[in-house]
Amino acid sequence: MIIAETIQEVRDQVRAWKREGLSVGLVPTMGYLHEGHASLVEESVRQCDRTVSSVFVNPTQFGPNEDLETYPRDFEHDCALLETKGCDLVFHPSVEEMYPDGFATYVEIQSEMPKQLCGKTRPIHFRGVCTVVSKLFHIVEPDKAFFGQKDAQQLAIIRRMVTDLSMGITIVGCPIIRESDGLAKSSRNTYLNEAERKAALVLSQAVFLGQRLVAEGERDADRVVAAMSAHIAKEPLARIDYVSAVDGMTMLPVHEIENDVLIAMAVYIGKTRLIDNFSVKL
Ligand code: PAF
């Protein structure tokens, strides 16, 4: 596996692959990789001839009081995992490589979409995500890029950006990977102490409860959200940021469950903010 720290090295290698007629998949990550990321790499390896993964903790998507400084990092472990999964190149740039002196250009979706759900408490988050992801797309020029459904709003926003800017990249959404007890895999799970780890199960339990209600025929989105919220509220270590039902494409609130509804939540367990969701495809 090649480890590249500069944009030029990545471009040279990807262009050499393209000259051989090989297809290229990209898995963007912020490192501290777990089985969720591994599943994205596996999917890229299945669908593309060569796989590039980026490991970059992107400062522009963190707000001033968020966990940029403490975000967990373990590049050696990341490389070991990527190599076993069949990744061909890991791009590990410095902040200066990605954001040179005088950097002043951002990519931002000008609709309500990035202001909903996580955007309510993280107002600059999706501008940072769109900016770094479009930079990665320009650097790697992949045929396909792979993102987890756990970050459902991010996935919807990236699809919007790719369509709006005619980027010609196929976006592949991959299922949420869970621990055996249901907790969605996340690099931030590492912040949880033992009691919080147990308490964090209310998120997946709420997801399973919501899925069951919908499967049983409930079509009132407010009732599903209320039942999920009530379940989470029983856990003393949990504080709800939001539990919401939105249109799967626009992220705007819905009250009825029809095709393509996303039911998503963000919940603080102690100081750690975790997200989870499920999509309804009728
Ligand atoms: O999902 C993430 O880990 C990040 O938001 C991404 C897409 C790698 C951009 O920094």
Side-chain angles (χ1 to χ4, degrees), residues 128-160:
V129 169
C130 286
T131 302
V132 80
V133 169
S134 42
K135 280 179 70 77
L136 291 167
F137 286 176
H138 288 304
I139 294 163
V140 178
E141 297 181 341
D143 299 282
K144 296 186 178 183
F146 297 79
F147 294 89
Q149 181 65 40
K150 183 163 105 34
D151 294 295
Q153 188 177 13
Q154 167 173 285
L155 178 57
I157 284 174
I158 288 168
R159 287 192 198 283
R160 180 80 265 156

PDB file of all heavy atoms in Angstrom, residues 128-160:
ATOM      1  N   GLY A 128     -17.750  22.659   5.865  1.00  0.00           N
ATOM      2  CA  GLY A 128     -16.424  22.052   5.961  1.00  0.00           C
ATOM      3  C   GLY A 128     -16.371  20.700   5.274  1.00  0.00           C
ATOM      4  O   GLY A 128     -15.406  20.377   4.576  1.00  0.00           O
ATOM      5  N   VAL A 129     -17.440  19.916   5.453  1.00  0.00           N
ATOM      6  CA  VAL A 129     -17.481  18.580   4.825  1.00  0.00           C
ATOM      7  C   VAL A 129     -17.482  18.725   3.298  1.00  0.00           C
ATOM      8  O   VAL A 129     -16.702  18.085   2.588  1.00  0.00           O
ATOM      9  CB  VAL A 129     -18.715  17.777   5.310  1.00  0.00           C
ATOM     10  CG1 VAL A 129     -18.909  16.525   4.465  1.00  0.00           C
ATOM     11  CG2 VAL A 129     -18.584  17.405   6.783  1.00  0.00           C
ATOM     12  N   CYS A 130     -18.381  19.592   2.783  1.00  0.00           N
ATOM     13  CA  CYS A 130     -18.475  19.754   1.318  1.00  0.00           C
ATOM     14  C   CYS A 130     -17.153  20.276   0.749  1.00  0.00           C
ATOM     15  O   CYS A 130     -16.713  19.865  -0.327  1.00  0.00           O
ATOM     16  CB  CYS A 130     -19.597  20.733   0.951  1.00  0.00           C
ATOM     17  SG  CYS A 130     -21.223  20.000   1.160  1.00  0.00           S
ATOM     18  N   THR A 131     -16.516  21.171   1.467  1.00  0.00           N
ATOM     19  CA  THR A 131     -15.258  21.742   0.974  1.00  0.00           C
ATOM     20  C   THR A 131     -14.175  20.668   0.902  1.00  0.00           C
ATOM     21  O   THR A 131     -13.527  20.495  -0.134  1.00  0.00           O
ATOM     22  CB  THR A 131     -14.811  22.907   1.889  1.00  0.00           C
ATOM     23  OG1 THR A 131     -15.854  23.877   1.907  1.00  0.00           O
ATOM     24  CG2 THR A 131     -13.527  23.541   1.395  1.00  0.00           C
ATOM     25  N   VAL A 132     -14.009  19.911   1.992  1.00  0.00           N
ATOM     26  CA  VAL A 132     -12.921  18.922   1.975  1.00  0.00           C
ATOM     27  C   VAL A 132     -13.241  17.779   1.016  1.00  0.00           C
ATOM     28  O   VAL A 132     -12.359  17.286   0.306  1.00  0.00           O
ATOM     29  CB  VAL A 132     -12.584  18.415   3.398  1.00  0.00           C
ATOM     30  CG1 VAL A 132     -13.557  17.360   3.887  1.00  0.00           C
ATOM     31  CG2 VAL A 132     -11.164  17.891   3.454  1.00  0.00           C
ATOM     32  N   VAL A 133     -14.522  17.381   0.948  1.00  0.00           N
ATOM     33  CA  VAL A 133     -14.863  16.263   0.053  1.00  0.00           C
ATOM     34  C   VAL A 133     -14.690  16.700  -1.401  1.00  0.00           C
ATOM     35  O   VAL A 133     -14.168  15.951  -2.229  1.00  0.00           O
ATOM     36  CB  VAL A 133     -16.280  15.718   0.355  1.00  0.00           C
ATOM     37  CG1 VAL A 133     -16.743  14.755  -0.722  1.00  0.00           C
ATOM     38  CG2 VAL A 133     -16.303  15.013   1.708  1.00  0.00           C
ATOM     39  N   SER A 134     -15.056  17.951  -1.716  1.00  0.00           N
ATOM     40  CA  SER A 134     -14.846  18.344  -3.123  1.00  0.00           C
ATOM     41  C   SER A 134     -13.363  18.477  -3.426  1.00  0.00           C
ATOM     42  O   SER A 134     -12.924  18.148  -4.530  1.00  0.00           O
ATOM     43  CB  SER A 134     -15.642  19.571  -3.546  1.00  0.00           C
ATOM     44  OG  SER A 134     -15.619  20.529  -2.579  1.00  0.00           O
ATOM     45  N   LYS A 135     -12.564  18.921  -2.461  1.00  0.00           N
ATOM     46  CA  LYS A 135     -11.106  18.933  -2.691  1.00  0.00           C
ATOM     47  C   LYS A 135     -10.602  17.503  -2.949  1.00  0.00           C
ATOM     48  O   LYS A 135      -9.840  17.261  -3.879  1.00  0.00           O
ATOM     49  CB  LYS A 135     -10.375  19.534  -1.481  1.00  0.00           C
ATOM     50  CG  LYS A 135     -10.395  21.056  -1.462  1.00  0.00           C
ATOM     51  CD  LYS A 135      -9.690  21.623  -0.231  1.00  0.00           C
ATOM     52  CE  LYS A 135      -8.191  21.417  -0.254  1.00  0.00           C
ATOM     53  NZ  LYS A 135      -7.459  22.328  -1.134  1.00  0.00           N
ATOM     54  N   LEU A 136     -11.058  16.561  -2.114  1.00  0.00           N
ATOM     55  CA  LEU A 136     -10.613  15.167  -2.299  1.00  0.00           C
ATOM     56  C   LEU A 136     -11.046  14.632  -3.663  1.00  0.00           C
ATOM     57  O   LEU A 136     -10.301  13.903  -4.331  1.00  0.00           O
ATOM     58  CB  LEU A 136     -11.160  14.283  -1.171  1.00  0.00           C
ATOM     59  CG  LEU A 136     -10.542  14.556   0.211  1.00  0.00           C
ATOM     60  CD1 LEU A 136     -11.353  13.873   1.315  1.00  0.00           C
ATOM     61  CD2 LEU A 136      -9.083  14.097   0.269  1.00  0.00           C
ATOM     62  N   PHE A 137     -12.264  15.015  -4.084  1.00  0.00           N
ATOM     63  CA  PHE A 137     -12.741  14.573  -5.401  1.00  0.00           C
ATOM     64  C   PHE A 137     -11.857  15.150  -6.509  1.00  0.00           C
ATOM     65  O   PHE A 137     -11.535  14.472  -7.478  1.00  0.00           O
ATOM     66  CB  PHE A 137     -14.200  14.990  -5.620  1.00  0.00           C
ATOM     67  CG  PHE A 137     -15.209  14.164  -4.825  1.00  0.00           C
ATOM     68  CD1 PHE A 137     -16.557  14.488  -4.851  1.00  0.00           C
ATOM     69  CD2 PHE A 137     -14.818  13.066  -4.079  1.00  0.00           C
ATOM     70  CE1 PHE A 137     -17.493  13.734  -4.142  1.00  0.00           C
ATOM     71  CE2 PHE A 137     -15.748  12.298  -3.359  1.00  0.00           C
ATOM     72  CZ  PHE A 137     -17.087  12.646  -3.392  1.00  0.00           C
ATOM     73  N   HIS A 138     -11.446  16.421  -6.372  1.00  0.00           N
ATOM     74  CA  HIS A 138     -10.571  17.027  -7.394  1.00  0.00           C
ATOM     75  C   HIS A 138      -9.178  16.399  -7.385  1.00  0.00           C
ATOM     76  O   HIS A 138      -8.540  16.277  -8.420  1.00  0.00           O
ATOM     77  CB  HIS A 138     -10.437  18.532  -7.156  1.00  0.00           C
ATOM     78  CG  HIS A 138     -11.678  19.286  -7.490  1.00  0.00           C
ATOM     79  ND1 HIS A 138     -12.283  19.231  -8.728  1.00  0.00           N
ATOM     80  CD2 HIS A 138     -12.440  20.119  -6.757  1.00  0.00           C
ATOM     81  CE1 HIS A 138     -13.364  19.986  -8.726  1.00  0.00           C
ATOM     82  NE2 HIS A 138     -13.485  20.527  -7.542  1.00  0.00           N
ATOM     83  N   ILE A 139      -8.717  16.025  -6.203  1.00  0.00           N
ATOM     84  CA  ILE A 139      -7.359  15.468  -6.089  1.00  0.00           C
ATOM     85  C   ILE A 139      -7.319  14.042  -6.642  1.00  0.00           C
ATOM     86  O   ILE A 139      -6.456  13.683  -7.430  1.00  0.00           O
ATOM     87  CB  ILE A 139      -6.900  15.495  -4.602  1.00  0.00           C
ATOM     88  CG1 ILE A 139      -6.740  16.938  -4.121  1.00  0.00           C
ATOM     89  CG2 ILE A 139      -5.603  14.703  -4.412  1.00  0.00           C
ATOM     90  CD1 ILE A 139      -6.687  17.108  -2.609  1.00  0.00           C
ATOM     91  N   VAL A 140      -8.308  13.235  -6.238  1.00  0.00           N
ATOM     92  CA  VAL A 140      -8.278  11.802  -6.582  1.00  0.00           C
ATOM     93  C   VAL A 140      -8.986  11.534  -7.923  1.00  0.00           C
ATOM     94  O   VAL A 140      -8.633  10.596  -8.629  1.00  0.00           O
ATOM     95  CB  VAL A 140      -8.920  10.960  -5.444  1.00  0.00           C
ATOM     96  CG1 VAL A 140      -8.950   9.483  -5.787  1.00  0.00           C
ATOM     97  CG2 VAL A 140      -8.170  11.186  -4.114  1.00  0.00           C
ATOM     98  N   GLU A 141      -9.967  12.345  -8.248  1.00  0.00           N
ATOM     99  CA  GLU A 141     -10.805  12.113  -9.437  1.00  0.00           C
ATOM    100  C   GLU A 141     -11.296  10.661  -9.489  1.00  0.00           C
ATOM    101  O   GLU A 141     -11.042   9.941 -10.473  1.00  0.00           O
ATOM    102  CB  GLU A 141     -10.050  12.501 -10.709  1.00  0.00           C
ATOM    103  CG  GLU A 141      -9.706  13.979 -10.735  1.00  0.00           C
ATOM    104  CD  GLU A 141      -8.982  14.425 -11.996  1.00  0.00           C
ATOM    105  OE1 GLU A 141      -8.424  13.561 -12.713  1.00  0.00           O
ATOM    106  OE2 GLU A 141      -8.984  15.625 -12.272  1.00  0.00           O
ATOM    107  N   PRO A 142     -11.973  10.208  -8.434  1.00  0.00           N
ATOM    108  CA  PRO A 142     -12.409   8.809  -8.402  1.00  0.00           C
ATOM    109  C   PRO A 142     -13.604   8.565  -9.328  1.00  0.00           C
ATOM    110  O   PRO A 142     -14.331   9.505  -9.667  1.00  0.00           O
ATOM    111  CB  PRO A 142     -12.847   8.620  -6.940  1.00  0.00           C
ATOM    112  CG  PRO A 142     -13.341   9.973  -6.536  1.00  0.00           C
ATOM    113  CD  PRO A 142     -12.474  10.974  -7.264  1.00  0.00           C
ATOM    114  N   ASP A 143     -13.815   7.310  -9.692  1.00  0.00           N
ATOM    115  CA  ASP A 143     -15.039   6.944 -10.418  1.00  0.00           C
ATOM    116  C   ASP A 143     -16.201   6.841  -9.439  1.00  0.00           C
ATOM    117  O   ASP A 143     -17.330   7.193  -9.754  1.00  0.00           O
ATOM    118  CB  ASP A 143     -14.841   5.589 -11.121  1.00  0.00           C
ATOM    119  CG  ASP A 143     -13.710   5.669 -12.125  1.00  0.00           C
ATOM    120  OD1 ASP A 143     -13.947   6.210 -13.207  1.00  0.00           O
ATOM    121  OD2 ASP A 143     -12.575   5.249 -11.790  1.00  0.00           O
ATOM    122  N   LYS A 144     -15.887   6.303  -8.239  1.00  0.00           N
ATOM    123  CA  LYS A 144     -16.925   6.116  -7.217  1.00  0.00           C
ATOM    124  C   LYS A 144     -16.364   6.568  -5.869  1.00  0.00           C
ATOM    125  O   LYS A 144     -15.162   6.457  -5.628  1.00  0.00           O
ATOM    126  CB  LYS A 144     -17.318   4.639  -7.108  1.00  0.00           C
ATOM    127  CG  LYS A 144     -17.957   4.083  -8.365  1.00  0.00           C
ATOM    128  CD  LYS A 144     -18.456   2.669  -8.132  1.00  0.00           C
ATOM    129  CE  LYS A 144     -19.147   2.165  -9.412  1.00  0.00           C
ATOM    130  NZ  LYS A 144     -19.717   0.823  -9.250  1.00  0.00           N
ATOM    131  N   ALA A 145     -17.258   7.047  -4.997  1.00  0.00           N
ATOM    132  CA  ALA A 145     -16.828   7.366  -3.630  1.00  0.00           C
ATOM    133  C   ALA A 145     -17.828   6.741  -2.668  1.00  0.00           C
ATOM    134  O   ALA A 145     -19.032   6.693  -2.951  1.00  0.00           O
ATOM    135  CB  ALA A 145     -16.745   8.865  -3.431  1.00  0.00           C
ATOM    136  N   PHE A 146     -17.326   6.274  -1.526  1.00  0.00           N
ATOM    137  CA  PHE A 146     -18.104   5.430  -0.617  1.00  0.00           C
ATOM    138  C   PHE A 146     -18.271   6.132   0.735  1.00  0.00           C
ATOM    139  O   PHE A 146     -17.283   6.573   1.333  1.00  0.00           O
ATOM    140  CB  PHE A 146     -17.387   4.077  -0.441  1.00  0.00           C
ATOM    141  CG  PHE A 146     -17.288   3.319  -1.741  1.00  0.00           C
ATOM    142  CD1 PHE A 146     -16.309   3.653  -2.681  1.00  0.00           C
ATOM    143  CD2 PHE A 146     -18.192   2.320  -2.058  1.00  0.00           C
ATOM    144  CE1 PHE A 146     -16.238   2.984  -3.902  1.00  0.00           C
ATOM    145  CE2 PHE A 146     -18.126   1.645  -3.272  1.00  0.00           C
ATOM    146  CZ  PHE A 146     -17.152   1.984  -4.197  1.00  0.00           C
ATOM    147  N   PHE A 147     -19.535   6.240   1.182  1.00  0.00           N
ATOM    148  CA  PHE A 147     -19.848   6.924   2.445  1.00  0.00           C
ATOM    149  C   PHE A 147     -20.837   6.071   3.232  1.00  0.00           C
ATOM    150  O   PHE A 147     -21.678   5.379   2.649  1.00  0.00           O
ATOM    151  CB  PHE A 147     -20.486   8.292   2.168  1.00  0.00           C
ATOM    152  CG  PHE A 147     -19.550   9.265   1.492  1.00  0.00           C
ATOM    153  CD1 PHE A 147     -19.471   9.307   0.103  1.00  0.00           C
ATOM    154  CD2 PHE A 147     -18.739  10.115   2.237  1.00  0.00           C
ATOM    155  CE1 PHE A 147     -18.600  10.191  -0.541  1.00  0.00           C
ATOM    156  CE2 PHE A 147     -17.874  10.999   1.615  1.00  0.00           C
ATOM    157  CZ  PHE A 147     -17.804  11.039   0.224  1.00  0.00           C
ATOM    158  N   GLY A 148     -20.753   6.185   4.574  1.00  0.00           N
ATOM    159  CA  GLY A 148     -21.643   5.391   5.428  1.00  0.00           C
ATOM    160  C   GLY A 148     -23.000   6.047   5.593  1.00  0.00           C
ATOM    161  O   GLY A 148     -23.119   7.270   5.692  1.00  0.00           O
ATOM    162  N   GLN A 149     -24.010   5.199   5.679  1.00  0.00           N
ATOM    163  CA  GLN A 149     -25.394   5.648   5.903  1.00  0.00           C
ATOM    164  C   GLN A 149     -25.573   6.187   7.332  1.00  0.00           C
ATOM    165  O   GLN A 149     -26.526   6.890   7.621  1.00  0.00           O
ATOM    166  CB  GLN A 149     -26.315   4.449   5.628  1.00  0.00           C
ATOM    167  CG  GLN A 149     -27.790   4.672   5.773  1.00  0.00           C
ATOM    168  CD  GLN A 149     -28.351   5.668   4.754  1.00  0.00           C
ATOM    169  OE1 GLN A 149     -27.958   5.661   3.579  1.00  0.00           O
ATOM    170  NE2 GLN A 149     -29.245   6.540   5.210  1.00  0.00           N
ATOM    171  N   LYS A 150     -24.602   5.894   8.217  1.00  0.00           N
ATOM    172  CA  LYS A 150     -24.723   6.405   9.587  1.00  0.00           C
ATOM    173  C   LYS A 150     -24.751   7.939   9.568  1.00  0.00           C
ATOM    174  O   LYS A 150     -25.483   8.559  10.304  1.00  0.00           O
ATOM    175  CB  LYS A 150     -23.583   5.912  10.472  1.00  0.00           C
ATOM    176  CG  LYS A 150     -23.770   6.401  11.908  1.00  0.00           C
ATOM    177  CD  LYS A 150     -22.956   5.641  12.874  1.00  0.00           C
ATOM    178  CE  LYS A 150     -21.756   6.331  13.400  1.00  0.00           C
ATOM    179  NZ  LYS A 150     -21.700   7.721  13.623  1.00  0.00           N
ATOM    180  N   ASP A 151     -23.922   8.531   8.700  1.00  0.00           N
ATOM    181  CA  ASP A 151     -23.943   9.988   8.530  1.00  0.00           C
ATOM    182  C   ASP A 151     -24.914  10.302   7.394  1.00  0.00           C
ATOM    183  O   ASP A 151     -24.513  10.754   6.313  1.00  0.00           O
ATOM    184  CB  ASP A 151     -22.538  10.495   8.203  1.00  0.00           C
ATOM    185  CG  ASP A 151     -21.594  10.286   9.367  1.00  0.00           C
ATOM    186  OD1 ASP A 151     -21.800  10.898  10.415  1.00  0.00           O
ATOM    187  OD2 ASP A 151     -20.666   9.466   9.238  1.00  0.00           O
ATOM    188  N   ALA A 152     -26.202  10.047   7.645  1.00  0.00           N
ATOM    189  CA  ALA A 152     -27.190  10.096   6.561  1.00  0.00           C
ATOM    190  C   ALA A 152     -27.334  11.506   5.980  1.00  0.00           C
ATOM    191  O   ALA A 152     -27.501  11.668   4.769  1.00  0.00           O
ATOM    192  CB  ALA A 152     -28.536   9.607   7.081  1.00  0.00           C
ATOM    193  N   GLN A 153     -27.264  12.523   6.847  1.00  0.00           N
ATOM    194  CA  GLN A 153     -27.391  13.897   6.334  1.00  0.00           C
ATOM    195  C   GLN A 153     -26.170  14.247   5.474  1.00  0.00           C
ATOM    196  O   GLN A 153     -26.297  14.858   4.410  1.00  0.00           O
ATOM    197  CB  GLN A 153     -27.520  14.881   7.510  1.00  0.00           C
ATOM    198  CG  GLN A 153     -27.844  16.300   7.067  1.00  0.00           C
ATOM    199  CD  GLN A 153     -28.052  17.247   8.232  1.00  0.00           C
ATOM    200  OE1 GLN A 153     -27.722  16.915   9.380  1.00  0.00           O
ATOM    201  NE2 GLN A 153     -28.574  18.427   7.968  1.00  0.00           N
ATOM    202  N   GLN A 154     -24.990  13.822   5.927  1.00  0.00           N
ATOM    203  CA  GLN A 154     -23.775  14.045   5.136  1.00  0.00           C
ATOM    204  C   GLN A 154     -23.900  13.386   3.764  1.00  0.00           C
ATOM    205  O   GLN A 154     -23.577  13.986   2.728  1.00  0.00           O
ATOM    206  CB  GLN A 154     -22.576  13.485   5.904  1.00  0.00           C
ATOM    207  CG  GLN A 154     -21.303  13.361   5.086  1.00  0.00           C
ATOM    208  CD  GLN A 154     -20.109  12.970   5.932  1.00  0.00           C
ATOM    209  OE1 GLN A 154     -19.574  13.774   6.659  1.00  0.00           O
ATOM    210  NE2 GLN A 154     -19.659  11.733   5.839  1.00  0.00           N
ATOM    211  N   LEU A 155     -24.390  12.148   3.764  1.00  0.00           N
ATOM    212  CA  LEU A 155     -24.523  11.400   2.510  1.00  0.00           C
ATOM    213  C   LEU A 155     -25.485  12.127   1.554  1.00  0.00           C
ATOM    214  O   LEU A 155     -25.184  12.301   0.361  1.00  0.00           O
ATOM    215  CB  LEU A 155     -25.011   9.982   2.829  1.00  0.00           C
ATOM    216  CG  LEU A 155     -25.271   9.026   1.681  1.00  0.00           C
ATOM    217  CD1 LEU A 155     -24.032   8.831   0.810  1.00  0.00           C
ATOM    218  CD2 LEU A 155     -25.725   7.660   2.225  1.00  0.00           C
ATOM    219  N   ALA A 156     -26.623  12.589   2.093  1.00  0.00           N
ATOM    220  CA  ALA A 156     -27.608  13.285   1.252  1.00  0.00           C
ATOM    221  C   ALA A 156     -27.014  14.593   0.710  1.00  0.00           C
ATOM    222  O   ALA A 156     -27.220  14.956  -0.455  1.00  0.00           O
ATOM    223  CB  ALA A 156     -28.874  13.573   2.059  1.00  0.00           C
ATOM    224  N   ILE A 157     -26.257  15.287   1.541  1.00  0.00           N
ATOM    225  CA  ILE A 157     -25.657  16.566   1.134  1.00  0.00           C
ATOM    226  C   ILE A 157     -24.588  16.342   0.060  1.00  0.00           C
ATOM    227  O   ILE A 157     -24.501  17.091  -0.918  1.00  0.00           O
ATOM    228  CB  ILE A 157     -25.101  17.289   2.387  1.00  0.00           C
ATOM    229  CG1 ILE A 157     -26.273  17.898   3.172  1.00  0.00           C
ATOM    230  CG2 ILE A 157     -24.057  18.340   2.040  1.00  0.00           C
ATOM    231  CD1 ILE A 157     -25.911  18.512   4.505  1.00  0.00           C
ATOM    232  N   ILE A 158     -23.813  15.298   0.226  1.00  0.00           N
ATOM    233  CA  ILE A 158     -22.776  15.015  -0.785  1.00  0.00           C
ATOM    234  C   ILE A 158     -23.420  14.625  -2.111  1.00  0.00           C
ATOM    235  O   ILE A 158     -22.979  15.058  -3.183  1.00  0.00           O
ATOM    236  CB  ILE A 158     -21.785  13.947  -0.265  1.00  0.00           C
ATOM    237  CG1 ILE A 158     -20.920  14.592   0.824  1.00  0.00           C
ATOM    238  CG2 ILE A 158     -20.913  13.393  -1.387  1.00  0.00           C
ATOM    239  CD1 ILE A 158     -20.101  13.644   1.642  1.00  0.00           C
ATOM    240  N   ARG A 159     -24.500  13.859  -2.048  1.00  0.00           N
ATOM    241  CA  ARG A 159     -25.212  13.517  -3.297  1.00  0.00           C
ATOM    242  C   ARG A 159     -25.703  14.802  -3.985  1.00  0.00           C
ATOM    243  O   ARG A 159     -25.610  14.959  -5.196  1.00  0.00           O
ATOM    244  CB  ARG A 159     -26.421  12.625  -3.003  1.00  0.00           C
ATOM    245  CG  ARG A 159     -26.077  11.198  -2.630  1.00  0.00           C
ATOM    246  CD  ARG A 159     -27.369  10.360  -2.650  1.00  0.00           C
ATOM    247  NE  ARG A 159     -27.268   9.106  -1.935  1.00  0.00           N
ATOM    248  CZ  ARG A 159     -26.652   8.006  -2.411  1.00  0.00           C
ATOM    249  NH1 ARG A 159     -26.085   8.031  -3.576  1.00  0.00           N
ATOM    250  NH2 ARG A 159     -26.622   6.906  -1.682  1.00  0.00           N
ATOM    251  N   ARG A 160     -26.268  15.720  -3.186  1.00  0.00           N
ATOM    252  CA  ARG A 160     -26.765  17.005  -3.730  1.00  0.00           C
ATOM    253  C   ARG A 160     -25.623  17.776  -4.393  1.00  0.00           C
ATOM    254  O   ARG A 160     -25.738  18.272  -5.511  1.00  0.00           O
ATOM    255  CB  ARG A 160     -27.368  17.819  -2.562  1.00  0.00           C
ATOM    256  CG  ARG A 160     -27.939  19.156  -2.854  1.00  0.00           C
ATOM    257  CD  ARG A 160     -29.338  19.083  -3.435  1.00  0.00           C
ATOM    258  NE  ARG A 160     -29.288  19.130  -4.881  1.00  0.00           N
ATOM    259  CZ  ARG A 160     -30.233  18.653  -5.696  1.00  0.00           C
ATOM    260  NH1 ARG A 160     -31.301  18.066  -5.220  1.00  0.00           N
ATOM    261  NH2 ARG A 160     -30.106  18.760  -6.988  1.00  0.00           N
TER     262      ARG A 160
END
